[in-house]
Coordinates of all heavy atoms in Angstrom, one line a residue:
M1015 N 0.5 32.4 46.2 CA 0.3 31.4 45.2 C -0.7 30.3 45.7 O -0.4 29.7 46.7 CB 1.6 30.8 44.8 CG 1.5 29.7 43.8 SD 3.1 29.5 43.1 CE 3.7 28.2 42.7
P1016 N -1.8 30.1 45.0 CA -2.7 29.1 45.4 C -2.2 27.7 45.2 O -1.4 27.4 44.3 CB -3.9 29.3 44.5 CG -3.5 30.2 43.4 CD -2.2 30.9 43.8
S1017 N -2.6 26.8 46.1 CA -2.1 25.4 46.0 C -2.9 24.7 44.9 O -4.0 25.2 44.4 CB -2.4 24.7 47.3 OG -3.7 24.5 47.5
E1018 N -2.4 23.5 44.5 CA -3.1 22.8 43.4 C -4.5 22.4 43.9 O -5.5 22.4 43.2 CB -2.3 21.5 43.1 CG -2.9 20.7 42.0 CD -2.0 19.5 41.6 OE1 -0.8 19.5 42.0 OE2 -2.5 18.6 40.9
Q1019 N -4.7 22.1 45.2 CA -6.0 21.7 45.8 C -6.9 22.9 45.7 O -8.1 22.8 45.4 CB -5.9 21.2 47.2 CG -5.2 19.9 47.3 CD -5.0 19.4 48.7 OE1 -4.9 20.3 49.6 NE2 -5.0 18.1 48.9
E1020 N -6.4 24.1 46.0 CA -7.2 25.3 46.0 C -7.7 25.6 44.6 O -8.8 26.0 44.3 CB -6.5 26.5 46.6 CG -6.2 26.5 48.1 CD -5.3 27.5 48.6 OE1 -4.3 27.8 47.8 OE2 -5.5 28.0 49.7
L1021 N -6.8 25.5 43.6 CA -7.1 25.7 42.2 C -8.2 24.6 41.8 O -9.1 25.0 41.1 CB -5.9 25.6 41.3 CG -4.9 26.8 41.5 CD1 -3.6 26.5 40.7 CD2 -5.6 28.1 41.0
A1022 N -8.0 23.4 42.1 CA -8.9 22.3 41.7 C -10.3 22.5 42.3 O -11.3 22.1 41.7 CB -8.4 21.0 42.2
A1023 N -10.4 23.3 43.4 CA -11.7 23.5 43.9 C -12.5 24.6 43.2 O -13.7 24.8 43.4 CB -11.6 23.9 45.4
L1024 N -11.8 25.4 42.3 CA -12.5 26.4 41.6 C -13.3 25.9 40.5 O -13.1 24.8 40.0 CB -11.4 27.4 41.0 CG -10.5 28.2 42.0 CD1 -9.5 28.9 41.2 CD2 -11.4 29.1 42.9
S1025 N -14.3 26.7 40.1 CA -15.1 26.2 38.9 C -14.3 26.3 37.6 O -13.3 27.0 37.6 CB -16.4 27.2 38.8 OG -16.0 28.4 38.3
S1026 N -14.7 25.7 36.6 CA -14.0 25.8 35.3 C -14.0 27.2 34.8 O -13.0 27.6 34.2 CB -14.6 24.8 34.3 OG -14.5 23.5 34.8
K1027 N -15.0 27.9 35.0 CA -15.1 29.3 34.6 C -14.0 30.1 35.3 O -13.3 30.9 34.7 CB -16.5 29.9 34.8 CG -16.7 31.4 34.5 CD -16.6 31.7 33.1 CE -16.9 33.1 32.8 NZ -16.4 33.6 31.6
E1028 N -13.9 29.9 36.6 CA -12.9 30.6 37.4 C -11.5 30.3 36.9 O -10.6 31.1 36.8 CB -13.1 30.4 38.9 CG -14.3 31.0 39.5 CD -14.6 30.5 40.9 OE1 -14.6 29.3 41.1 OE2 -14.8 31.4 41.7
L1029 N -11.3 29.0 36.7 CA -10.0 28.5 36.2 C -9.7 29.2 34.8 O -8.5 29.7 34.6 CB -9.9 27.0 36.0 CG -9.9 26.2 37.3 CD1 -10.0 24.7 37.0 CD2 -8.6 26.5 38.1
H1030 N -10.6 29.2 33.9 CA -10.4 29.9 32.6 C -10.1 31.3 32.8 O -9.1 31.8 32.2 CB -11.7 29.7 31.8 CG -11.8 30.7 30.6 ND1 -12.3 31.9 30.7 CD2 -11.4 30.5 29.4 CE1 -12.2 32.5 29.5 NE2 -11.7 31.6 28.7
D1031 N -10.8 32.0 33.6 CA -10.6 33.5 33.8 C -9.2 33.7 34.4 O -8.5 34.6 33.9 CB -11.7 34.1 34.7 CG -13.0 34.1 34.0 OD1 -13.1 33.8 32.8 OD2 -14.0 34.4 34.7
R1032 N -8.8 32.9 35.4 CA -7.5 33.1 36.0 C -6.4 32.8 35.0 O -5.4 33.5 34.9 CB -7.4 32.2 37.2 CG -8.1 32.7 38.4 CD -7.8 31.9 39.6 NE -8.5 32.3 40.8 CZ -8.1 32.2 42.0 NH1 -6.9 31.6 42.3 NH2 -8.8 32.6 43.0
A1033 N -6.5 31.7 34.3 CA -5.5 31.3 33.3 C -5.3 32.3 32.3 O -4.2 32.7 31.9 CB -5.8 29.9 32.7
I1034 N -6.4 32.9 31.8 CA -6.3 33.9 30.7 C -5.7 35.2 31.3 O -4.8 35.8 30.7 CB -7.7 34.3 30.2 CG1 -8.3 33.0 29.5 CG2 -7.7 35.5 29.3 CD1 -7.5 32.5 28.3
R1035 N -6.0 35.6 32.5 CA -5.4 36.8 33.1 C -3.9 36.6 33.3 O -3.1 37.5 33.0 CB -6.1 37.1 34.5 CG -7.3 37.8 34.4 CD -7.8 38.5 35.7 NE -7.8 37.5 36.8 CZ -8.9 36.8 37.2 NH1 -10.0 36.9 36.5 NH2 -8.8 36.0 38.2
V1036 N -3.5 35.4 33.8 CA -2.1 35.1 34.0 C -1.4 35.2 32.6 O -0.3 35.8 32.5 CB -1.8 33.8 34.7 CG1 -0.4 33.4 34.7 CG2 -2.3 33.9 36.1
A1037 N -1.9 34.5 31.6 CA -1.3 34.4 30.3 C -1.2 35.8 29.7 O -0.1 36.2 29.1 CB -2.1 33.5 29.4
V1038 N -2.2 36.6 29.8 CA -2.2 38.0 29.2 C -1.2 38.8 30.0 O -0.4 39.5 29.3 CB -3.6 38.6 29.3 CG1 -3.5 40.1 28.9 CG2 -4.5 37.9 28.3
R1039 N -1.1 38.7 31.3 CA -0.2 39.5 32.1 C 1.3 39.1 31.7 O 2.1 40.0 31.6 CB -0.5 39.3 33.6 CG 0.4 40.2 34.5 CD 0.1 40.0 35.9 NE 0.3 38.7 36.4 CZ -0.7 37.9 37.0 NH1 -1.9 38.4 37.1 NH2 -0.4 36.7 37.4
R1040 N 1.5 37.8 31.5 CA 2.8 37.3 31.1 C 3.1 37.5 29.6 O 4.3 37.2 29.2 CB 2.9 35.9 31.5 CG 2.8 35.6 33.0 CD 3.0 34.1 33.3 NE 4.4 33.8 33.3 CZ 4.9 32.8 32.6 NH1 4.1 32.0 31.9 NH2 6.2 32.6 32.6
G1041 N 2.1 37.9 28.8 CA 2.4 37.9 27.4 C 2.6 36.5 26.8 O 3.4 36.4 25.9
D1042 N 2.0 35.5 27.4 CA 2.2 34.1 27.0 C 1.4 33.7 25.8 O 0.4 33.0 25.9 CB 1.9 33.3 28.2 CG 2.4 31.8 28.1 OD1 2.8 31.4 26.9 OD2 2.5 31.2 29.1
V1043 N 1.9 34.1 24.7 CA 1.2 33.8 23.4 C 1.1 32.3 23.2 O 0.2 31.8 22.6 CB 1.8 34.6 22.2 CG1 1.2 34.2 20.9 CG2 1.7 36.1 22.5
K1044 N 2.2 31.6 23.6 CA 2.2 30.2 23.4 C 1.1 29.5 24.1 O 0.4 28.6 23.5 CB 3.6 29.6 23.9 CG 3.8 28.2 23.7 CD 5.2 27.7 24.1 CE 5.3 26.2 23.9 NZ 6.7 25.8 24.4
F1045 N 0.8 29.9 25.3 CA -0.4 29.3 26.0 C -1.7 29.6 25.3 O -2.6 28.8 25.1 CB -0.4 29.7 27.5 CG -1.7 29.2 28.2 CD1 -1.9 27.9 28.5 CD2 -2.8 30.1 28.4 CE1 -3.1 27.5 29.1 CE2 -3.9 29.7 29.0 CZ -4.1 28.4 29.3
L1046 N -1.8 30.9 25.0 CA -3.1 31.3 24.3 C -3.3 30.6 23.0 O -4.4 30.2 22.7 CB -3.1 32.9 24.2 CG -3.0 33.7 25.5 CD1 -2.8 35.1 25.2 CD2 -4.3 33.4 26.3
W1047 N -2.2 30.4 22.3 CA -2.3 29.6 21.0 C -2.7 28.2 21.3 O -3.5 27.6 20.6 CB -1.0 29.7 20.2 CG -1.2 29.0 18.9 CD1 -0.6 27.8 18.5 CD2 -2.0 29.4 17.8 NE1 -1.0 27.5 17.3 CE2 -1.9 28.4 16.8 CE3 -2.9 30.4 17.6 CZ2 -2.5 28.4 15.6 CZ3 -3.5 30.5 16.4 CH2 -3.4 29.5 15.4
R1048 N -2.0 27.6 22.3 CA -2.4 26.2 22.7 C -3.9 26.1 23.1 O -4.5 25.1 22.7 CB -1.5 25.8 23.9 CG -1.9 24.4 24.5 CD -1.0 24.1 25.7 NE -1.6 22.9 26.3 CZ -1.5 22.6 27.5 NH1 -0.9 23.4 28.4 NH2 -2.0 21.5 28.0
L1049 N -4.4 27.1 23.8 CA -5.8 27.1 24.1 C -6.6 27.2 22.9 O -7.6 26.4 22.7 CB -6.1 28.3 25.1 CG -7.6 28.4 25.5 CD1 -8.1 27.2 26.2 CD2 -7.7 29.6 26.4
L1050 N -6.3 28.1 22.0 CA -7.1 28.2 20.8 C -7.1 26.9 19.9 O -8.1 26.5 19.4 CB -6.5 29.4 19.9 CG -7.0 30.8 20.2 CD1 -6.2 31.8 19.4 CD2 -8.5 30.9 20.0
T1051 N -6.0 26.3 19.9 CA -5.9 25.1 19.1 C -6.5 23.9 19.8 O -6.8 22.9 19.2 CB -4.4 24.7 18.7 OG1 -3.6 24.6 19.8 CG2 -3.9 25.8 17.8
S1052 N -6.8 24.0 21.1 CA -7.4 22.9 21.9 C -8.9 23.0 21.8 O -9.6 22.0 22.1 CB -7.0 23.0 23.3 OG -5.6 22.7 23.5
I1053 N -9.4 24.2 21.5 CA -10.9 24.4 21.5 C -11.7 23.5 20.5 O -12.7 22.9 20.9 CB -11.2 25.9 21.3 CG1 -10.8 26.6 22.6 CG2 -12.7 26.1 21.1 CD1 -10.8 28.2 22.5
P1054 N -11.2 23.3 19.3 CA -12.0 22.4 18.4 C -12.2 21.0 19.0 O -13.3 20.4 19.0 CB -11.2 22.4 17.1 CG -10.5 23.7 17.1 CD -10.1 23.9 18.5
A1055 N -11.1 20.4 19.6 CA -11.2 19.1 20.2 C -12.1 19.1 21.4 O -12.9 18.2 21.7 CB -9.9 18.6 20.5
A1056 N -12.1 20.2 22.2 CA -12.9 20.4 23.3 C -14.4 20.5 22.9 O -15.3 19.9 23.6 CB -12.5 21.6 24.2
E1057 N -14.6 21.2 21.9 CA -16.0 21.3 21.3 C -16.5 19.9 21.0 O -17.7 19.6 21.3 CB -16.1 22.2 20.1 CG -15.8 23.7 20.4 CD -17.1 24.4 20.9 OE1 -18.1 23.8 21.2 OE2 -17.0 25.6 21.1
A1058 N -15.7 19.2 20.3 CA -16.1 17.8 19.9 C -16.4 16.9 21.1 O -17.4 16.2 21.2 CB -15.1 17.2 19.0
A1059 N -15.5 17.0 22.1 CA -15.6 16.2 23.3 C -16.8 16.6 24.1 O -17.4 15.8 24.8 CB -14.3 16.3 24.2
A1060 N -17.2 17.9 24.0 CA -18.4 18.4 24.7 C -19.7 18.1 23.9 O -20.8 18.5 24.3 CB -18.3 19.9 24.9
G1061 N -19.5 17.4 22.7 CA -20.7 17.1 21.9 C -21.1 18.1 20.9 O -22.1 17.9 20.2
N1062 N -20.3 19.1 20.7 CA -20.6 20.2 19.7 C -19.8 19.9 18.4 O -18.9 20.6 18.0 CB -20.2 21.5 20.3 CG -20.9 21.8 21.6 OD1 -22.0 21.3 21.8 ND2 -20.3 22.6 22.4
L1063 N -20.1 18.8 17.7 CA -19.4 18.3 16.6 C -19.4 19.4 15.4 O -18.3 19.6 14.8 CB -19.8 17.0 16.1 CG -19.7 15.8 17.1 CD1 -20.2 14.6 16.5 CD2 -18.2 15.7 17.4
G1064 N -20.5 19.9 15.2 CA -20.6 20.9 14.1 C -19.7 22.1 14.4 O -19.0 22.7 13.5
E1065 N -19.7 22.5 15.6 CA -18.9 23.7 16.0 C -17.4 23.3 15.9 O -16.6 24.2 15.5 CB -19.2 24.1 17.5 CG -18.5 25.3 18.0 CD -19.0 26.6 17.4 OE1 -20.2 26.6 16.9 OE2 -18.3 27.6 17.4
S1066 N -17.0 22.1 16.2 CA -15.6 21.8 16.1 C -15.1 21.8 14.7 O -14.0 22.2 14.4 CB -15.3 20.4 16.8 OG -15.9 19.4 16.0
E1067 N -16.0 21.3 13.8 CA -15.6 21.3 12.3 C -15.5 22.7 11.8 O -14.5 23.0 11.1 CB -16.6 20.5 11.5 CG -16.6 19.1 11.8 CD -17.8 18.3 11.2 OE1 -18.5 18.9 10.4 OE2 -18.0 17.1 11.4
A1068 N -16.4 23.6 12.2 CA -16.3 25.0 11.8 C -15.0 25.7 12.3 O -14.4 26.4 11.7 CB -17.5 25.8 12.2
D1069 N -14.7 25.3 13.6 CA -13.5 25.9 14.2 C -12.2 25.6 13.5 O -11.3 26.4 13.3 CB -13.3 25.5 15.7 CG -14.3 26.2 16.6 OD1 -15.0 27.1 16.1 OD2 -14.5 25.7 17.7
I1070 N -12.2 24.4 13.0 CA -11.0 23.9 12.3 C -10.8 24.7 11.0 O -9.7 25.0 10.5 CB -11.0 22.4 12.0 CG1 -10.9 21.7 13.3 CG2 -10.0 22.0 11.0 CD1 -11.3 20.2 13.2
K1071 N -11.9 25.1 10.3 CA -11.9 25.8 9.0 C -11.7 27.3 9.1 O -11.2 27.9 8.2 CB -13.1 25.5 8.3 CG -13.2 24.0 7.9 CD -14.5 23.7 7.2 CE -14.6 22.2 6.9 NZ -15.9 21.9 6.3
F1072 N -12.1 27.9 10.3 CA -12.1 29.4 10.3 C -11.5 29.9 11.6 O -11.8 29.4 12.7 CB -13.6 29.9 10.3 CG -14.3 29.4 9.0 CD1 -15.2 28.3 9.1 CD2 -14.1 30.0 7.8 CE1 -15.8 27.9 7.9 CE2 -14.7 29.6 6.7 CZ -15.6 28.5 6.7
V1073 N -10.6 30.8 11.5 CA -9.9 31.4 12.6 C -10.8 32.3 13.4 O -10.7 32.2 14.7 CB -8.6 32.2 12.1 CG1 -8.0 32.9 13.3 CG2 -7.7 31.2 11.4
L1074 N -11.6 33.1 12.8 CA -12.4 34.0 13.6 C -13.4 33.3 14.6 O -13.5 33.8 15.7 CB -13.2 35.0 12.7 CG -12.3 36.0 12.0 CD1 -13.2 36.9 11.0 CD2 -11.6 36.9 13.0
P1075 N -14.0 32.2 14.2 CA -14.8 31.5 15.2 C -14.0 31.0 16.3 O -14.4 30.9 17.4 CB -15.5 30.4 14.4 CG -15.5 30.9 13.0 CD -14.2 31.7 12.8
M1076 N -12.7 30.7 16.0 CA -11.8 30.2 17.1 C -11.6 31.3 18.1 O -11.6 31.1 19.3 CB -10.5 29.7 16.5 CG -10.6 28.4 15.9 SD -9.0 27.8 15.1 CE -8.1 27.6 16.6
I1077 N -11.5 32.5 17.6 CA -11.3 33.6 18.6 C -12.5 33.9 19.4 O -12.4 34.1 20.6 CB -10.9 34.9 17.8 CG1 -9.5 34.7 17.2 CG2 -10.9 36.1 18.7 CD1 -9.0 35.8 16.2
N1078 N -13.7 33.7 18.8 CA -14.9 33.8 19.5 C -15.0 32.7 20.6 O -15.4 32.9 21.7 CB -16.1 33.8 18.6 CG -17.4 34.0 19.3 OD1 -17.6 34.9 20.0 ND2 -18.4 33.1 19.1
D1079 N -14.6 31.5 20.2 CA -14.6 30.4 21.1 C -13.7 30.6 22.3 O -14.0 30.3 23.4 CB -14.3 29.1 20.4 CG -15.4 28.6 19.5 OD1 -16.5 29.0 19.7 OD2 -15.1 27.7 18.7
Y1080 N -12.5 31.2 22.0 CA -11.6 31.6 23.0 C -12.2 32.4 24.1 O -12.0 32.2 25.3 CB -10.4 32.3 22.3 CG -9.6 33.1 23.3 CD1 -8.6 32.6 24.1 CD2 -9.7 34.5 23.3 CE1 -7.9 33.4 25.0 CE2 -9.0 35.3 24.1 CZ -8.0 34.7 24.9 OH -7.3 35.5 25.8
I1081 N -13.0 33.4 23.6 CA -13.7 34.3 24.6 C -14.6 33.5 25.5 O -14.8 33.8 26.6 CB -14.4 35.4 23.8 CG1 -13.4 36.3 23.1 CG2 -15.3 36.2 24.7 CD1 -14.0 37.3 22.1
H1082 N -15.3 32.5 24.9 CA -16.3 31.7 25.6 C -15.8 30.4 26.1 O -16.6 29.5 26.6 CB -17.5 31.5 24.7 CG -18.1 32.8 24.3 ND1 -18.8 33.6 25.2 CD2 -18.1 33.5 23.1 CE1 -19.2 34.7 24.6 NE2 -18.8 34.6 23.3
A1083 N -14.5 30.1 26.1 CA -14.0 28.8 26.5 C -14.1 28.6 28.0 O -13.7 27.5 28.4 CB -12.5 28.7 26.0
G1084 N -14.5 29.5 28.7 CA -14.7 29.3 30.1 C -16.2 29.0 30.5 O -16.5 28.9 31.6
D1085 N -17.0 28.7 29.5 CA -18.4 28.5 29.7 C -18.8 27.0 29.4 O -18.3 26.4 28.5 CB -19.3 29.4 28.8 CG -19.0 30.8 29.0 OD1 -18.7 31.2 30.2 OD2 -19.1 31.6 28.1
G1086 N -19.6 26.5 30.3 CA -20.3 25.2 30.0 C -19.4 24.0 29.9 O -18.3 23.9 30.5
A1087 N -19.8 23.1 29.0 CA -19.2 21.8 28.8 C -17.8 22.0 28.2 O -16.9 21.2 28.6 CB -20.0 20.9 27.9
V1088 N -17.6 22.9 27.4 CA -16.2 23.2 26.8 C -15.3 23.5 27.9 O -14.1 23.1 27.9 CB -16.3 24.3 25.7 CG1 -14.9 24.6 25.2 CG2 -17.1 23.8 24.5
A1089 N -15.7 24.4 28.9 CA -14.8 24.7 30.0 C -14.4 23.5 30.8 O -13.3 23.4 31.3 CB -15.5 25.8 30.9
E1090 N -15.4 22.6 31.0 CA -15.1 21.4 31.7 C -14.1 20.5 31.0 O -13.2 20.0 31.7 CB -16.4 20.6 31.9 CG -17.4 21.3 32.8 CD -16.9 21.6 34.2 OE1 -16.2 20.8 34.8 OE2 -17.2 22.7 34.7
V1091 N -14.1 20.4 29.7 CA -13.2 19.7 28.9 C -11.8 20.3 29.0 O -10.8 19.6 29.1 CB -13.6 19.5 27.5 CG1 -12.6 18.8 26.7 CG2 -14.9 18.7 27.4
L1092 N -11.7 21.6 29.0 CA -10.5 22.4 29.0 C -9.9 22.6 30.4 O -8.8 23.1 30.6 CB -10.6 23.7 28.3 CG -10.8 23.7 26.8 CD1 -11.2 25.0 26.2 CD2 -9.6 23.1 26.1
R1093 N -10.7 22.2 31.4 CA -10.3 22.3 32.8 C -8.8 21.9 33.1 O -8.1 22.6 33.7 CB -11.3 21.6 33.7 CG -11.1 21.7 35.2 CD -12.2 21.0 35.9 NE -11.9 21.1 37.3 CZ -12.2 22.1 38.1 NH1 -12.9 23.1 37.6 NH2 -12.0 22.1 39.4
P1094 N -8.4 20.7 32.6 CA -7.0 20.3 32.9 C -6.0 21.2 32.3 O -4.9 21.4 32.8 CB -6.9 18.9 32.2 CG -8.3 18.4 32.1 CD -9.2 19.7 31.9
V1095 N -6.3 21.9 31.2 CA -5.4 22.8 30.5 C -5.2 24.0 31.5 O -4.1 24.5 31.7 CB -5.9 23.3 29.1 CG1 -5.0 24.4 28.5 CG2 -6.0 22.1 28.2
Y1096 N -6.3 24.5 32.0 CA -6.3 25.7 32.9 C -5.5 25.3 34.2 O -4.7 26.1 34.6 CB -7.7 26.2 33.2 CG -8.5 26.6 32.0 CD1 -9.8 26.2 31.9 CD2 -7.9 27.3 31.0 CE1 -10.6 26.6 30.8 CE2 -8.7 27.7 29.9 CZ -10.0 27.3 29.8 OH -10.8 27.7 28.7
L1097 N -5.8 24.2 34.8 CA -5.2 23.8 36.0 C -3.7 23.6 35.8 O -2.9 24.2 36.6 CB -5.8 22.4 36.5 CG -7.0 22.5 37.4 CD1 -7.5 21.1 37.6 CD2 -6.6 23.1 38.7
E1098 N -3.3 22.9 34.8 CA -1.8 22.7 34.5 C -1.1 24.1 34.4 O -0.1 24.3 35.0 CB -1.6 21.9 33.2 CG -0.2 21.7 32.8 CD 0.0 21.1 31.5 OE1 -1.0 20.6 30.9 OE2 1.1 21.1 31.0
Y1099 N -1.7 25.0 33.6 CA -1.1 26.3 33.4 C -1.0 27.1 34.7 O 0.1 27.7 35.0 CB -1.9 27.1 32.3 CG -1.2 28.4 32.0 CD1 -0.1 28.4 31.2 CD2 -1.7 29.6 32.5 CE1 0.6 29.6 30.9 CE2 -1.0 30.8 32.2 CZ 0.1 30.8 31.4 OH 0.7 31.9 31.1
L1100 N -2.1 27.1 35.4 CA -2.0 27.9 36.7 C -1.1 27.3 37.7 O -0.4 28.0 38.5 CB -3.5 28.0 37.3 CG -4.4 28.9 36.5 CD1 -5.8 28.8 36.9 CD2 -3.9 30.4 36.6
I1101 N -1.0 26.0 37.8 CA 0.0 25.4 38.7 C 1.4 25.7 38.3 O 2.2 26.0 39.2 CB -0.3 23.8 38.7 CG1 -1.6 23.5 39.5 CG2 0.9 23.1 39.4 CD1 -2.1 22.1 39.3
Q1102 N 1.7 25.8 37.0 CA 3.0 26.1 36.6 C 3.4 27.6 36.7 O 4.5 27.9 36.9 CB 3.2 25.7 35.1 CG 3.2 24.2 34.9 CD 3.3 23.9 33.4 OE1 3.3 24.7 32.5 NE2 3.4 22.6 33.1
H1103 N 2.4 28.4 36.6 CA 2.7 29.9 36.4 C 2.0 30.8 37.5 O 2.2 32.0 37.3 CB 2.3 30.3 35.0 CG 3.0 29.6 33.9 ND1 4.3 29.8 33.7 CD2 2.6 28.7 33.1 CE1 4.7 29.0 32.7 NE2 3.6 28.3 32.3
S1104 N 1.3 30.3 38.4 CA 0.8 31.2 39.4 C 1.8 31.5 40.5 O 2.6 30.7 40.8 CB -0.5 30.6 40.1 OG -1.5 30.6 39.1

């Protein structure tokens, strides 16, 4: 089990990928849903206001965002979500 310091040293993309793998392996739909519902706010915080408004209105774009939530500024905003989850469940 990696330490909190080891996890914090990972890139946001690596945290995203690990958190998703753990959640899928555990069948943790609650975390995956939490992530999906966090993406519109993360998009807004990352400066993608138009994307955040669209995400709120449409579920399919949210699923697409879920796939890409480990990339760029959105991953950086969601970094605490990934860290918290991995610390609790790794």
Side-chain angles (χ1 to χ4, degrees):
M1015 174 161 146
S1017 71
E1018 185 172 346
Q1019 289 176 333
E1020 291 169 326
L1021 289 170
L1024 297 174
S1025 72
S1026 296
K1027 174 69 171 158
E1028 290 170 311
L1029 288 172
H1030 165 269
D1031 293 349
R1032 283 186 183 209
I1034 297 302
R1035 278 196 307 270
V1036 170
V1038 169
R1039 186 176 61 241
R1040 296 180 77 234
D1042 193 343
V1043 175
K1044 185 176 178 180
F1045 171 76
L1046 295 172
W1047 182 251
R1048 177 180 169 212
L1049 178 59
L1050 277 175
T1051 59
S1052 297
I1053 290 171
E1057 290 279 5
N1062 304 329
L1063 297 177
E1065 186 72 20
S1066 70
E1067 291 172 8
D1069 286 348
I1070 292 168
K1071 295 178 183 174
F1072 302 101
V1073 174
L1074 290 177
M1076 286 178 67
I1077 293 170
N1078 185 53
D1079 286 346
Y1080 157 80
I1081 293 167
H1082 298 289
D1085 300 329
V1088 173
E1090 294 301 319
V1091 174
L1092 291 171
R1093 184 178 178 83
V1095 175
Y1096 302 136
L1097 270 170
E1098 176 188 350
Y1099 184 75
L1100 289 168
I1101 289 166
Q1102 290 177 357
H1103 300 290
S1104 288

